[in-house]
Amino acid sequence: MGEGTTEMKDSIARNRDLLREMKEILLANVVMAAEIPSPTGGERRLSRFLSDRFTECRLSDIADDQAGNMAGVLPGRNPRRNLLLAAHTDKVWPESEDHTVSVGVGTMSGRGIADNSLGVAVLATLPLLLERLDLQFDANLILLGTSRSFGRGNLGGMRFFLENTDREIDGALCVEGIDLGRLSYSSLGMARGEIRAEDAGNTQSVDLATSGVISSLHSLIGRILEMNRSYYPESRILLGTVEAVSGFNVPPQSGRLQFEIRGTDAAQVAAIEKTVVSIAASLDAESTEVDVEVEMFAHRKPGDLGVGHPLVRKARAVLGELGVKPKVEPSISELAALLQAGIPALTLGVTKGAHRHTFRESISVDPIFDGLAQLVAVLEFMDRNGEAQS
Amino acid sequence: MSAQDRVIKKWLETNTFHHSEFWDLRELVRAKEEAGLTISLCIPTLNEEKTIGKEIIVFKSELMDRYPLVDELAVIDSGSTDRTLDIAKSYGADTYLSSDILPAQGSKPGKGENLWKAIHQLKGDVICYVDADIKNIHPKFVSGLVAPLLYREEIQYVKAFYDRPLAVSGGIRPSGGGRVTEILVRPLFSLFFPELTALMQPLSGEYAARREVLETLPFPIGYGVETSHLIDLYQAHGLAAFAQTDLDKRVHRNQSTIDLGKMSFGILQTFLNRLRHYDIVANLPEWEGLFRQIQAEGRTYDMLNHRIVEEERPPMVTLPEYQKRHGK
C-alpha cells in the first residue's frame, strides 16, 4: 500500500466504518479495563482480564511472565516475522480510588480511562476487530500488556519482555489512549529520582525550628529552578512531587522531592543528574541539622527512529488521510526501551481526551474509530513492508 | 427444627445460587437454545443518564454481540427529562416511553408501570429486569438471574441478592437485606409468610421470570411491586417456584431515611392489600394513602403529608391488546 493514495484513503474509510460496528464490544472492554484497579506493580487483575479476552479470541501462546506482562499471539500466515502491539496495563491510581466509569453521549470518563484503559481495551479487542475487517497478517502479531511502566516501575515490564523473549521483534507499536494524532518516534534521555530530607535531631537554626525540612526542600527547589533557566528548552528538570506534611503548626521532620530530568542529549541529561546529586550532597554536608540523600531509580537513553523512516512517513500519511494533524512528541515510555533495543517503533494515540491523570479523565468516543483505522493501516504497512523498515 | 424451618433450609440448599456457577456464557447460550427460550432484558428508567450508558454497553457487548444470551435489550422510560433515552439509544438499546405502550390503558407514574408494560412490549419467553442505577455493572447481573430458569423448569422467578453476610463482632449478621427489608418486610413475612423469609433481598430490583408467570400477576405500580409479586407467586406456586442468586456486590446510590419512609409506606399498603385479597386478616379499614411526616425547625413543627397510593394494574393476560399481540 502506498502513501497518500486513493487506495489508502478508501481502505481507511472502509475500515473505519466496519470498526464502528464493533463499538459496543470495544467500549465494554474500555469500561471493564477502566474499572479494574491496576496500580504500578499491582497489574495482576487487569492482566487476567486481558488473558481472558485473549483466550476467548483463541490467541496462541497466551502467557504471563515474571514481570507481570500478559502476552498473546495472533499467528501470521507466514510467521517468519513478529510484530508487537503493546499497551501498558498500569495506571497512576492506587487501588483505593473509585474507578467507576461514567458513559455519556459520545464521552466516557473515569480514573485511568485514557491512560491507559483505552489502550488495554484496544489490545483486548483487536483480534475481533481484525476478524471483522477480514484481515490476516503475514507476520505474527504479538499483543502485549506491559506491567510497571510508571514511576519506579521504570518500564520494568517492557524491558523484561525484550530481554527475555525468544522471538525477534521486527517492528512495534505502543498504544496510548490519548491523544489521536500523537506520533512519537523518538525518546528522550531521562533520569528520574527522589531527594529525601530528614531532620537529623540537631535543630539550631531559625529556619529548621520554624519550617522543618521545608526550608531545605525550598532551597533545593530554588537551585533546580535556576538550573532549568540555563538548560531549557533542550533539557529540563520536572518537579512532580514535593511533600512534607505535618499539619498547621508542627514543622515537618521529613520530606521528599520527586523529579525527572529530560533532554535530547544524553550527555547533558547525565551532567544535570550529576549536578543535582552534588547539590543534594553539598546540602547534606553543609548542614548538621538535616540529612539529605538522593535515590535515582530510572534512566532512559535518547533514541530516534528519524523523521524520514518509512514507518514515520506512513504514520504521518495515515493521519493526513484522517484529517488529523500529527503531534510529534518524544516519548519516555515503552517506546524508549524499544528504540534502545534497535526495534523500529512508534507510539500512537487512539482518541481525543482531556483531564489526564485527574478524576475527570475523559475520552471522546467518536474519534476512537479514526484511531483504530490508523492503527490498522500502520500495522498493515508494517506487515507488508518489513524490509523497508529495517 | 420446625417443618417450616426444614422447608426453608432445604430451599436455601437447592434454590440459592452464586453467579460464579454460571460464569460460562457460551454454555448458557447453549442451554437457552436447547430449552428453546428467548430472553428479553428490560431496564426501567427515570432520569438515569449517569449510569444507563454503561449498562447498555456492557450488556449489549457481552450478552448480545459476544454471547447471544439476550435476544432483546429495552429501556422503558417514565418520562426522563435528562439524556437517559438519547444515551441508551446511542449505544444500541431499544427505547420506549412507557406512556406510548398500551396507550388505551393510560399512563401512570411509577416503576411498576414500566415493568408491567414491558410484558406487553417485549417478546421474550423470559423477562429479566435490571435497575438502571447500578454503578458496578457486570454481565452477571443478567446471566446469574436467567441461568436457573434455563436449567430448572420448575423455577419461575429468580431474585438477586447482594452483600453476603459479614463476620461482625458478636457473631454473624443474619443477612444484608437492606434497611426496609430488615425492619419492615422481613418482620411482616415472618408473621404471615414465613417461608418467604428465605429470600435474602425480597426488594431487589433485579429479577428474572417466565412470561407465563409475569402475565398472570397483578402489578402495583409503585413501591410495592416486588412484594406483591412474591406474595402472589408464593400463594399460587409455593416456595419451590422461586430461586435466588448471589451477585456479590451492588454499588448504587443510597436513599435518604425520609425516602425509605415513603417506600415503606407504599410497601405496607401493598402488603395489607394482599392480606385482604387472600382473606388472611379480616376487617382492615379503608385508608386514604396519606403518609405523615413531622419536620421540626427550632420550636416550629410542620406536617409534611405525602399522598402515596399504591395503584394496581391487572394481570397482563386479561388485556385484549396483550392477548392479540402475544397470541393468547
Side-chain angles (χ1 to χ4, degrees):
Chain A
M1 190 186 290
E3 290 171 27
T5 62
T6 312
E7 254 176 274
M8 178 168 80
K9 191 173 188 164
D10 292 347
S11 164
I12 289 174
R14 172 186 154 273
N15 286 351
R16 183 173 44 195
D17 292 344
L18 290 171
L19 291 166
R20 208 180 286 280
E21 292 172 14
M22 307 292 280
K23 178 166 124 179
E24 282 79 21
I25 288 184
L26 175 75
L27 299 187
N29 279 336
V30 175
V31 169
M32 285 184 259
E35 294 199 339
I36 299 171
S38 191
T40 301
E43 301 93 345
R44 192 182 51 83
R45 283 174 57 206
L46 190 51
S47 290
R48 173 65 196 267
F49 164 77
L50 260 185
S51 157
D52 288 346
R53 287 311 199 206
F54 289 169
T55 305
E56 287 174 80
C57 296
R58 297 188 174 88
L59 296 196
S60 69
D61 300 312
I62 299 166
D64 58 0
D65 62 27
Q66 283 166 255
N69 296 311
M70 180 59 68
V73 178
L74 203 53
R77 283 179 300 214
N78 184 13
R80 283 171 305 151
R81 299 174 62 244
N82 297 293
L83 300 178
L84 177 71
L85 188 73
H88 68 84
T89 53
D90 57 340
K91 307 175 190 174
V92 297
W93 300 98
E95 180 106 22
S96 54
E97 293 283 351
D98 180 1
H99 284 66
T100 303
V101 170
S102 292
V103 178
V105 176
T107 62
M108 303 173 81
S109 59
R111 288 179 173 83
I113 197 156
D115 192 8
N116 192 24
S117 306
L118 175 55
V120 172
V122 168
L123 275 194
T125 321
L126 195 78
L128 295 177
L129 300 179
L130 295 177
E131 196 178 305
R132 181 70 193 89
L133 298 176
D134 200 18
L135 261 182
Q136 193 185 359
F137 294 135
D138 281 335
N140 293 318
L141 181 60
I142 303 168
L143 303 179
L144 180 70
T146 58
S147 64
R148 295 194 282 156
S149 176
F150 286 117
R152 286 172 183 266
N154 191 22
L155 307 182
M158 181 60 91
R159 286 181 198 277
F160 184 90
F161 174 79
L162 293 174
E163 282 161 16
N164 293 283
T165 181
D166 52 7
R167 292 174 190 260
E168 189 179 330
I169 307 298
D170 296 279
L173 291 184
C174 301
V175 188
E176 292 280 353
I178 59 175
D179 259 327
L180 175 61
R182 173 176 176 174
L183 174 57
S184 299
Y185 52 84
S186 64
S187 63
L188 289 172
M190 186 276 278
R192 182 182 294 159
E194 179 176 283
I195 302 174
R196 289 185 287 272
E198 290 274 349
D199 186 332
N202 185 27
T203 304
Q204 292 167 355
S205 69
V206 176
D207 285 357
L208 197 70
T210 55
S211 68
V213 297
I214 290 173
S215 59
S216 309
L217 295 177
H218 173 255
S219 164
L220 276 165
I221 291 168
R223 301 281 293 275
I224 287 171
L225 293 178
E226 204 173 300
M227 287 170 71
N228 263 337
R229 284 190 278 273
S230 311
Y231 292 112
Y232 192 87
E234 288 77 21
S235 297
R236 66 198 66 183
I237 311 168
L238 302 169
L239 298 178
T241 298
V242 54
E243 191 177 83
V245 183
S246 79
F248 290 96
N249 54 7
V250 178
Q253 295 189 320
S254 65
R256 63 184 180 142
L257 185 64
Q258 293 187 324
F259 63 94
E260 195 171 283
I261 305 161
R262 291 183 180 188
T264 48
D265 179 348
Q268 191 171 62
V269 169
I272 294 172
E273 178 185 340
K274 205 170 164 186
T275 309
V276 171
V277 170
S278 70
I279 289 171
S282 64
L283 253 179
D284 184 61
E286 286 161 12
S287 170
T288 56
E289 297 175 295
V290 179
D291 294 328
V292 180
E293 60 175 13
V294 186
E295 182 189 3
M296 300 301 300
F297 44 74
H299 291 90
R300 312 260 194 284
K301 287 181 184 163
D304 193 348
L305 199 54
V307 67
H309 192 279
L311 192 54
V312 177
R313 292 210 315 267
K314 177 67 186 181
R316 276 183 181 279
V318 169
L319 285 169
E321 290 300 343
L322 288 165
V324 176
K325 190 176 175 192
K327 188 178 170 194
V328 176
E329 57 184 48
S331 168
I332 58 146
S333 60
E334 274 70 14
L335 183 70
L338 289 160
L339 293 177
Q340 205 172 321
I343 297 168
L346 303 176
T347 298
L348 299 173
V350 179
T351 189
K352 301 288 181 191
H355 309 300
R356 185 169 170 260
H357 294 183
T358 75
F359 71 97
R360 291 192 298 154
E361 191 165 312
S362 65
I363 55 173
S364 301
V365 171
D366 209 44
I368 288 176
F369 305 97
D370 284 339
L372 293 175
Q374 161 207 229
L375 288 178
V376 170
V378 175
L379 281 172
E380 278 187 286
F381 173 80
M382 292 165 76
D383 187 49
R384 292 178 190 176
N385 298 273
E387 292 72 24
Q389 295 167 45
S390 46
Chain B
M1 188 182 276
S2 69
Q4 227 150 32
D5 289 343
R6 278 196 294 276
V7 169
I8 292 173
K9 190 167 188 305
K10 182 158 193 314
W11 184 87
L12 285 170
E13 283 166 8
T14 58
N15 286 35
T16 298
F17 304 95
H18 187 268
H19 70 84
S20 60
E21 293 170 60
F22 312 117
W23 66 272
D24 188 346
L25 294 176
R26 212 182 300 260
E27 163 56 22
L28 285 188
V29 173
R30 191 205 56 74
K32 182 191 83 160
E33 284 165 0
E34 196 175 290
L37 294 172
T38 54
I39 297 174
S40 296
L41 171 57
C42 170
I43 306 176
T45 55
L46 177 63
N47 295 329
E48 305 286 1
E49 67 178 6
K50 285 200 166 64
T51 46
I52 189 67
K54 193 166 69 172
E55 282 201 20
I56 302 293
I57 284 170
V58 170
F59 288 147
K60 183 162 186 302
S61 160
E62 302 307 296
L63 302 176
M64 295 182 85
D65 297 340
R66 276 178 185 272
Y67 301 101
L69 182 66
V70 168
D71 301 280
E72 182 178 29
L73 167 54
V75 166
I76 300 194
D77 187 76
S78 303
S80 292
T81 52
D82 65 5
R83 304 189 73 191
T84 299
L85 285 179
D86 291 341
I87 293 172
K89 198 179 289 182
S90 76
Y91 292 114
D94 299 332
T95 55
Y96 304 97
L97 263 179
S98 180
S99 54
D100 291 343
I101 303 170
L102 289 170
Q105 299 296 322
S107 180
K108 295 178 187 294
K111 184 179 120 185
E113 175 84 349
N114 298 12
L115 307 182
W116 182 68
K117 287 192 168 174
I119 304 169
H120 177 77
Q121 186 63 41
L122 306 187
K123 304 180 196 81
D125 304 309
V126 167
I127 299 179
C128 181
Y129 297 107
V130 177
D131 277 352
D133 65 342
I134 304 172
K135 286 176 83 179
N136 61 325
I137 199 67
H138 187 276
K140 71 185 176 190
F141 284 86
V142 175
S143 57
L145 295 176
V146 301
L149 298 169
L150 302 179
Y151 291 114
R152 300 257 302 268
E153 274 182 38
E154 76 280 14
I155 294 174
Q156 307 293 324
Y157 194 102
V158 185
K159 291 288 284 189
F161 72 99
Y162 309 93
D163 295 329
R164 284 167 293 174
L166 296 171
V168 291
S169 60
I172 300 289
R173 202 171 63 185
S175 76
R179 286 172 283 174
V180 176
T181 292
E182 296 309 320
I183 62 181
L184 178 72
V185 177
R186 192 171 296 285
L188 287 172
F189 279 173
S190 298
L191 286 172
F192 295 98
F193 306 101
E195 289 183 0
L196 286 179
T197 59
L199 291 158
M200 298 276 197
Q201 280 178 324
L203 301 182
S204 72
E206 285 72 46
Y207 48 98
R210 297 186 196 278
R211 172 176 292 277
E212 56 261 38
V213 160
L214 287 171
E215 68 189 8
T216 63
L217 297 174
F219 267 66
I221 58 166
Y223 296 110
V225 60
E226 284 89 10
T227 312
S228 171
H229 282 179
L230 299 184
I231 295 170
D232 289 336
L233 194 59
Y234 176 71
Q235 291 293 85
H237 301 281
L239 191 60
F242 293 97
Q244 61 185 349
T245 303
D246 182 350
L247 299 181
D248 281 346
K249 194 171 173 61
R250 183 192 197 281
V251 181
H252 59 104
R253 56 173 179 256
N254 263 328
Q255 295 198 68
S256 69
T257 308
I258 285 183
D259 286 341
L260 293 181
K262 293 181 202 166
M263 183 180 174
S264 300
F265 185 73
I267 290 170
L268 189 56
Q269 285 187 70
T270 298
F271 194 89
L272 295 175
N273 276 331
R274 301 330 285 161
L275 293 186
R276 182 153 49 194
H277 177 79
Y278 290 112
D279 288 328
I280 292 173
V281 291
N283 302 323
L284 276 176
E286 292 300 320
W287 52 77
E288 55 177 332
L290 210 57
F291 180 50
R292 300 172 187 277
Q293 291 175 319
I294 306 293
Q295 186 174 278
E297 196 175 335
R299 298 210 55 173
T300 308
Y301 305 101
D302 288 324
M303 281 196 301
L304 296 174
N305 292 347
H306 309 276
R307 183 165 299 282
I308 300 171
V309 179
E310 284 290 303
E311 285 190 76
E312 194 168 289
R313 289 294 199 174
M316 187 57 84
V317 76
T318 62
L319 265 57
E321 299 99 312
Y322 178 80
Q323 292 165 4
K324 189 175 170 198
R325 180 176 167 92
H326 291 273
K328 298 284 172 179

